[in-house]
């Protein structure tokens, strides 16, 4: 706390002023803890001097830090027209307390009143904390930086960042702004024009919160109708890149608040994007773009966060982000009507439910009051005194097919609808219920971005969350964009729900994230196709994680490994049950190979890491547990192939040996040529030499064509190999022609022409046809016998053609 003697600490200065021969003299003594800065507004003109004789010093500015009296002279008759005075005090906050208050006081008898004056308080808190200024009951209001306050007392808040100072805002006395918090360091200043008396006031300074934004401004809106204008930092210039500014509004009960953007300048973003977020207790978070209509029925306390992107500063004329918006508050009594036409919403039905029974909200559909409203056709909805926390809006659609041959052959896009602009509430989620025919499978694919599971170490941040569950409610998992999963196949009825992370509203239409189609039945309970990317580990969890898999179910991942790469698998968070019937099993088998690379049961010691050298199947199956659960997280990381390195080393060594041998042969030939006297023979590798003078080369067996056959039977050429194969049981009788039943050229993996380029999107690669999983009877129809992988080509092979797959990213 400051002592009574410090109550006028910024300007308790002793002055003696008089004018002699056009020179004005002053004697000042700054209060301890402050310093005085006197500077000229012109480059040339009057100077301020201190000292006398040889110690006299003159210049355009003067800084006085000592509390001892200092005499100074101005070399002009009216220095107040050319000089500006700034009185500065530093206030530092520890983790708990600050060493002062902001106290403004003045005396109307001092000649310093004739100067333009600026009072500045520099404030500093610990690195992770903010300092907080409370404007008490007085309050301040923000104005456009180009405006003036009526009493000509204008306050300025600045934040100090590593990139420079940022003007948080310019304010006048009396208004709704009750407090301001600045992260780490900043300043608060008061500008008073020449001849204006300083009004006495005191503002408390304290340690603030651990805010995640540049600054947090708290406003208390009055009862009744009111409106205030707010401006983004540095307005009308650009807001700092990647910056976040926060305003917190305290709203009286039974009042609604509306936000309206008056002036908006959008930047050209290089990374991320601009956004405005609305946070309120009990209602979650709503994220909107700056060009979207902003909410006009906000009830209760809420926070508004303005987020900037990383902007393109190099382009000529590229503007930064600047926003001027109005906050209006009024009585909560209101009525909103909106006509909704569901024929324009992709077959979806809309559900509106009143959440709070104590609310005065009244909902009507076609003038009929309802507690729950289901909209399936064109209807008129009316909401009386309803607010977002009172109402929940969801959308649903059922997609099913009774017979596979009657099902659509093209995928059905699962897209989020756009609600009419008149609709007062945001959409919280959209759910599709998918019912395949008997003997059918649901296949989900992501046409825009590959998916990833939401897992520890692989969370979904600020994005869409896709929740998948079986028809009985058994969870499959949570997914989001920017992953490695291309398709998901489920053998039974299921539901897909799209929502925002952390309850954020689906306030804007989204491009379709998924497509669904019904296909033939699969042998597994679940099949995922995965395309890992170089330098990006992929985490894959058993369905329903962290809960265990359902009893007697199987899951397979078909993983594409790029050429010249190996896949490193690590099994983490492995939980094994005690089985009452059969065993759990983890298998790894390369595509096109009969033998397994890895196979472990729950009662066997399992390696935690293995390496696979090509495309492979990862298969897991659960037993009937007596107690405990079966769950695994598999981490897949791509590495450069060790086999390729060995081959390249061998080739390089052979090339060196070949060069050495070639050089040696050349040396021997030269020596033989030197020993020839009169005749020169031509070397023939077949052993025949001839002398010059012969009419042409002597005919060899190759020349006389006596050895050439018109045709050769395959059995004559491959008889030994076929006989040995028959003895081993690989081939049958080889005198019978059998048609070729292997994969055609179109089914072979095709190497991308741009495979050597890093970070190329997966979608640009050529496609190849993935071979089906090793055949086995459907696990969900008939139990497996000791979880054996049945060999491909068996009579019970029901594995479908999994469709085209993209060549994954990889290369050198």
């Amino acid at each position: 706390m400051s002592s009574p003697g410090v109550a006028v600490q910024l300007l308790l200065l002793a002055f003696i002023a008089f004018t002699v021969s056009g020179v004005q003299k002053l004697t000042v003594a700054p209060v301890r803890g402050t310093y005085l800065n006197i500077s000229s507004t012109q480059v040339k003109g009057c100077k301020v001097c201190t000292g006398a004789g040889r110690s006299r010093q003159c210049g355009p500015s003067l800084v006085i830090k000592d509390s001892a009296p200092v005499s100074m002279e101005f070399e002009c008759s009216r220095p107040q027209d050319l000089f500006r005075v700034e009185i500065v005090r530093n206030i530092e906050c520890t983790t708990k307390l600050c060493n002062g208050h902001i106290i403004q006081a003045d005396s109307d008898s001092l000649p310093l009143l004739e100067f333009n004056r600026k009072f500045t308080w520099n404030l500093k808190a610990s690195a992770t904390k903010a300092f907080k200024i409370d404007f008490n009951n007085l309050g301040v209001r923000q104005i456009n930086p180009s405006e003036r306050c009526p009493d000509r007392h204008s306050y300025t808040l600045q934040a100090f960042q590593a990139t420079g100072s940022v003007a948080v805002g310019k304010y006048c006395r009396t208004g709704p702004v009750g407090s301001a918090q600045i992260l780490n360091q900043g300043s608060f200043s008061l500008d008073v024009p020449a001849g204006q008396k300083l009004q006495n006031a005191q503002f408390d300074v304290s340690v603030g919160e651990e805010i995640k934004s540049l600054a947090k401004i708290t406003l208390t809106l009055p009862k009744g109708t009111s409106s205030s204008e707010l401006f983004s930092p540095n307005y009308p210039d650009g807001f700092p890149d990647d910056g976040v500014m926060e305003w917190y509004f305290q709203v009286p009960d039974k009042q609604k608040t509306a936000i309206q953007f008056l002036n908006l300048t959008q930047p050209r973003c290089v990374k991320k994007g601009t956004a405005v977020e609305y946070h309120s207790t009990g209602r979650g978070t709503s994220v909107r773009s700056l060009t979207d209509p902003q909410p006009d029925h906000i009830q209760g306390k809420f926070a508004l966060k303005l987020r900037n992107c990383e902007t393109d500063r190099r382009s000529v004329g590229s503007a930064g982000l600047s926003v001027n918006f109005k906050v209006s508050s009024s009585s909560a009594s209101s009525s909103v009507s909106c006509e909704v036409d569901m024929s324009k919403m992709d077959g979806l039905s809309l559900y509106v439910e009143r959440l709070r029974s104590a609310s005065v909200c009244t909902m009507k559909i076609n003038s009929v009051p309802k507690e729950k409203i289901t909209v399936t056709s064109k209807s008129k909805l009316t909401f009386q005194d309803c607010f977002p926390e009172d109402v929940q809006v969801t959308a649903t659609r059922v997609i099913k097919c009774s017979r596979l041959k009657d099902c659509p052959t093209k995928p059905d896009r699962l897209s989020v609808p756009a609600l009419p602009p008149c609709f007062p509430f945001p959409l919280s989620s959209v759910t599709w219920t998918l019912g395949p025919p008997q003997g059918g499978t649901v296949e989900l694919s992501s046409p825009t971005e590959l998916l990833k599971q939401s897992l520890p170490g692989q969370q979904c941040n600020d994005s869409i969350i896709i929740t998948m569950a079986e028809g009985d409610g058994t969870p499959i998992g949570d997914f989001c964009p920017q992953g490695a999963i291309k398709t998901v196949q489920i053998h039974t009825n299921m539901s897909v729900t799209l929502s925002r992370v952390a309850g954020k509203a689906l306030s804007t239409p989204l491009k379709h994230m998924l497509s669904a189609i019904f296909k033939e039945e699969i042998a597994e309970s679940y099949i995922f196709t995965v395309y890992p990317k170089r330098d990006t580990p992929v985490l894959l969890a058993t369905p329903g994680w962290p809960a265990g898999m359902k009893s007697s179910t199987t899951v397979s991942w078909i993983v594409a490994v790029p050429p010249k790469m190996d896949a490193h698998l690590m099994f983490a968070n492995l939980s094994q049950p005690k089985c009452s019937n059969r065993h759990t099993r983890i298998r790894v088998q390369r595509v096109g190979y009969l033998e397994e690379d890895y196979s472990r049961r729950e009662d066997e010691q399992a390696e935690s890491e293995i390496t696979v050298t090509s495309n492979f199947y990862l298969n897991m199956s659960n037993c009937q547990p007596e107690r405990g659960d079966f769950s695994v997280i598999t981490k897949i990381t791509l590495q450069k192939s060790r086999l390729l390195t060995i081959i390249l080393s061998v080739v390089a060594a052979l090339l060196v040996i070949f060069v050495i041998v070639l050089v040696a042969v050349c040396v021997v030939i030269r020596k033989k040529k030197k020993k020839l006297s009169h005749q020169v023979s031509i070397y023939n590798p077949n052993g025949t030499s001839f002398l010059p003078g012969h009419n042409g080369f002597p005919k060899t067996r190759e020349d006389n064509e006596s050895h050439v056959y018109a045709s050769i039977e395959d059995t004559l050429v491959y008889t030994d190999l076929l006989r040995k194969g028959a003895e081993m049981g690989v081939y049958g009788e080889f005198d019978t022609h059998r048609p070729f039943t292997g994969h055609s050229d179109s089914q072979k993996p095709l190497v991308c022409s741009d495979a050597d380029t890093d970070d190329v999107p997966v979608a640009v690669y050529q496609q190849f046809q993935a071979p089906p999983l090793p055949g086995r009877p459907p696990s969900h129809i008939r139990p497996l016998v000791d979880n054996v992988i049945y060999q491909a080509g068996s009579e019970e092979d029901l594995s479908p053609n999994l469709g085209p797959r993209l060549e994954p990213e990889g290369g050198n």
Side-chain angles (χ1 to χ4, degrees):
M1 297 292 292
S2 58
S3 63
V6 186
V8 288
Q9 53 192 322
L10 290 186
L11 198 57
L12 187 57
L13 309 174
F15 295 92
I16 302 174
F18 55 92
T19 302
V20 179
S21 302
V23 177
Q24 181 168 334
K25 297 184 178 181
L26 295 174
T27 300
V28 297
V31 174
R32 178 179 298 177
T34 67
Y35 66 89
L36 189 66
N37 184 7
I38 302 174
S39 58
S40 176
T41 58
Q42 295 184 0
V43 177
K44 296 182 180 180
C46 186
K47 294 183 179 180
V48 58
C49 304
T50 58
R54 294 183 178 180
S55 61
R56 182 179 176 84
Q57 295 180 345
C58 298
S61 62
L62 176 65
V63 177
I64 304 174
K65 294 185 177 181
D66 298 328
S67 58
V70 176
S71 296
M72 55 185 176
E73 296 179 354
F74 296 95
E75 295 181 339
C76 54
S77 58
R78 290 191 57 79
Q80 60 269 29
D81 296 337
L82 303 175
F83 283 85
R84 177 184 178 88
V85 178
E86 183 179 16
I87 303 96
V88 182
R89 176 175 174 80
N90 296 324
I91 298 178
E92 189 164 346
C93 298
T94 63
T95 55
K96 296 182 179 180
L97 298 173
C98 299
N99 63 357
H101 296 269
I102 294 175
I103 302 173
Q104 57 187 51
D106 203 353
S107 172
D108 57 0
S109 62
L110 300 178
L112 198 58
L113 290 175
E114 300 303 319
F115 289 82
N116 289 323
R117 292 157 293 155
K118 182 176 183 179
F119 303 87
T120 300
W121 293 265
N122 290 325
L123 301 107
K124 181 179 181 181
S126 59
T128 59
K129 291 278 190 177
F131 63 81
K132 181 180 180 181
I133 303 174
D134 286 308
F135 300 112
N136 304 322
N137 297 327
L138 179 66
V140 295
R141 64 181 177 89
Q142 189 173 9
I143 61 171
N144 192 313
S146 61
E147 295 180 12
R148 284 187 175 184
C149 296
D151 60 1
R152 305 185 71 187
H153 279 55
S154 60
Y155 298 92
T156 302
L157 267 174
Q158 289 205 340
F160 298 156
Q161 293 189 319
T163 55
S165 62
V166 179
V168 176
K170 183 178 179 181
Y171 303 87
C172 298
R173 290 164 57 93
T174 310
V177 179
S179 65
Q181 297 186 68
I182 306 292
L183 183 62
N184 191 213
Q185 295 186 65
S187 69
F188 179 68
S189 59
L190 168 63
D191 286 278
V192 182
Q196 185 78 20
K197 292 173 54 178
L198 180 65
Q199 301 177 13
N200 295 340
Q202 175 175 322
F203 303 130
D204 294 330
V205 180
S206 60
V207 178
E209 307 168 15
E210 291 187 4
I211 61 176
K212 304 297 183 182
S213 53
L214 173 77
K216 179 179 180 180
I217 307 298
T218 300
L219 295 89
T220 301
L221 305 184
K223 288 186 178 181
T225 302
S226 66
S227 65
S228 301
E229 283 193 36
L230 296 168
F231 302 84
S232 59
N234 280 344
Y235 188 88
D237 296 327
F239 186 24
D241 280 19
D242 290 326
V244 180
M245 179 67 190
E246 180 178 1
W247 292 269
Y248 180 71
F249 300 92
Q250 294 180 322
V251 185
D253 293 336
K254 298 182 180 180
Q255 285 199 192
K256 63 178 181 179
T257 305
I259 304 295
Q260 180 185 4
F261 283 2
L262 304 177
N263 292 298
L264 170 64
T265 301
Q266 284 263 48
R268 182 178 300 170
C269 295
V270 177
K271 294 181 180 179
K272 301 181 182 178
T274 59
V276 57
E277 300 178 3
Y278 295 91
H279 302 258
S280 54
T281 304
R283 299 191 300 272
T285 301
S286 173
V287 182
R288 304 193 180 198
S289 72
L290 299 181
T291 55
D292 286 339
Q294 303 304 312
D296 56 1
H297 287 80
I298 307 173
Q299 187 180 31
K301 303 174 182 179
F302 70 98
L304 186 157
K305 288 185 178 181
L306 179 65
R307 292 186 180 274
N308 196 12
C309 60
E310 183 178 327
T311 60
D312 182 6
R313 299 287 186 179
R314 296 171 296 180
S315 301
V316 178
S318 178
L321 170 64
S322 64
V323 183
N324 166 213
F325 62 97
K326 183 169 72 173
V327 182
S328 304
S329 181
S330 60
S331 172
S333 179
S334 64
S335 179
V336 178
S337 296
C338 187
E339 192 171 87
V340 182
D341 188 357
M342 297 307 297
S343 65
K344 300 178 181 179
M345 295 194 182
D346 299 326
L348 287 158
S349 298
L350 201 64
Y351 294 88
V352 186
E353 182 180 359
R354 197 179 74 164
L355 298 177
R356 300 190 304 168
S357 58
S359 171
V360 296
C361 169
T362 301
M363 304 189 307
K364 296 180 181 180
I365 178 171
N366 299 326
S367 302
V368 179
K370 294 282 186 180
E371 291 289 320
K372 298 180 180 180
I373 294 176
T374 301
V375 188
T376 57
S377 60
K378 191 173 184 177
S379 305
K380 183 179 179 181
L381 306 182
T382 304
F383 302 95
Q384 178 72 36
D385 296 337
C386 298
F387 296 93
E389 65 267 25
D390 299 328
V391 177
Q392 177 178 279
V393 183
T394 59
T396 63
R397 180 187 174 190
V398 177
I399 303 174
K400 61 181 180 180
C401 185
S402 57
R403 294 188 304 175
L404 189 61
K405 65 178 182 178
D406 298 330
C407 297
T409 57
K410 293 184 178 180
D412 201 329
R413 294 183 174 184
L414 310 184
S415 57
V416 177
L419 295 177
C422 61
F423 205 84
F425 311 112
L427 189 63
S428 60
S429 67
V430 185
T431 299
W432 293 268
T433 300
L434 305 170
Q438 186 173 2
T441 294
V442 178
E443 179 178 286
L444 298 173
S445 60
S446 179
T448 53
E449 290 186 85
L450 304 188
L451 303 179
K452 67 180 178 183
Q453 282 183 271
S454 179
L455 299 169
Q458 188 176 264
Q459 290 87 356
C460 299
N461 298 321
D462 298 327
S463 183
I464 295 296
I465 194 77
I466 303 170
T467 301
M468 300 183 190
E470 294 191 32
D472 61 359
T474 302
I476 297 171
D478 290 338
F479 302 82
C480 59
Q482 301 179 359
I485 300 174
K486 176 64 177 177
T487 61
V488 181
Q489 292 180 305
I490 311 296
H491 72 82
T492 184
N493 295 347
M494 67 171 301
S495 65
V496 179
T497 300
L498 263 67
S499 59
R500 289 275 186 185
V501 174
K504 298 176 183 178
L506 294 171
S507 56
T508 58
L510 300 172
K511 61 183 180 181
H512 71 281
M513 302 296 301
L514 291 173
S515 293
I517 192 170
F518 297 134
K519 290 191 173 183
E520 293 180 357
E521 190 173 25
I522 58 175
E524 313 293 336
S525 305
Y526 321 89
I527 298 177
F528 300 82
T529 56
V530 185
Y531 297 85
K533 294 182 180 180
R534 181 190 304 175
D535 302 326
T536 305
V538 177
L539 298 181
L540 304 172
T542 48
W545 193 93
M549 287 178 61
K550 290 176 66 175
S551 174
S552 301
T553 58
T554 61
V555 57
S556 285
W557 294 269
I558 306 176
V559 183
V561 179
K564 305 175 185 178
M565 301 290 286
D566 291 341
H568 180 76
L569 278 65
M570 183 173 69
F571 302 110
N573 301 86
L574 175 58
S575 173
Q576 292 279 17
K578 181 180 180 182
C579 296
S580 62
N581 189 9
R582 297 192 297 276
H583 299 280
T584 68
R585 181 82 73 171
I586 301 175
R587 301 179 184 83
V588 176
Q589 180 177 339
R590 283 173 293 168
V591 175
Y593 289 79
L594 296 179
E595 68 277 8
E596 295 177 350
D597 293 77
Y598 179 91
S599 179
R600 291 295 184 275
R601 307 189 322 191
E602 86 285 350
D603 55 356
E604 296 175 337
Q605 185 66 32
E607 293 91 350
S608 61
E609 301 181 26
I610 63 170
T611 299
V612 187
T613 57
S614 62
N615 300 342
F616 65 93
Y617 306 111
L618 171 60
N619 173 267
M620 298 184 188
S621 53
N622 194 13
C623 62
Q624 293 181 2
E626 179 180 327
R627 64 173 181 270
D629 296 311
F630 177 56
S631 62
V632 190
I633 291 181
T634 306
K635 181 178 180 180
I636 301 177
T637 308
L638 295 181
Q639 301 173 343
K640 285 189 176 181
S641 176
R642 290 178 292 177
L643 179 60
L644 176 64
T645 304
I646 295 172
I647 292 174
L648 292 177
S649 301
V650 172
V651 170
L654 292 175
L655 183 61
V656 171
I657 295 172
F658 174 75
V659 171
I660 294 173
V661 171
L662 184 61
V663 171
V665 170
C666 290
V667 171
V668 172
I669 291 173
R670 288 194 187 99
K671 289 182 178 180
K672 287 185 177 181
K673 284 184 178 181
K674 289 180 181 181
K675 293 180 180 180
L676 292 176
S677 55
H678 302 288
Q679 296 180 339
V680 179
S681 65
I682 297 177
Y683 172 74
N684 188 313
N686 293 323
T688 303
S689 299
F690 62 93
L691 300 176
H694 288 204
N695 292 325
F697 291 85
K699 280 197 173 183
T700 63
R701 188 167 185 264
E702 287 79 3
D703 295 320
N704 60 33
E705 299 180 350
S706 61
H707 64 292
V708 177
Y709 294 90
S711 63
I712 302 177
E713 294 292 336
D714 289 344
T715 54
L716 296 178
V717 179
Y718 303 109
T719 299
D720 291 340
L721 294 178
L722 294 173
R723 182 177 296 110
K724 290 180 180 179
E727 292 172 357
M728 296 170 62
V730 177
Y731 303 103
E733 293 297 328
F734 50 79
D735 58 347
T736 303
H737 171 73
R738 295 179 184 272
F740 175 68
T741 59
H743 296 288
S744 64
D745 290 341
S746 64
Q747 293 172 301
K748 295 178 181 179
L750 299 179
V751 179
C752 173
S753 59
D754 196 19
D756 291 340
T757 304
D758 289 338
D759 303 324
V760 178
V762 172
V764 304
Y765 287 95
Q766 299 184 36
Q767 297 182 349
F768 69 91
Q769 190 81 2
L773 285 168
R776 61 171 62 88
S779 61
H780 49 88
I781 296 176
R782 190 161 44 207
L784 299 179
V785 179
D786 200 21
N787 294 321
V788 172
I789 294 184
Y790 293 85
Q791 299 301 328
S794 67
E795 295 178 357
E796 297 178 330
D797 185 1
L798 299 179
S799 299
N801 189 331
L802 299 182
R805 295 171 56 196
L806 300 178
E807 184 68 25
E809 179 177 350
N812 294 331

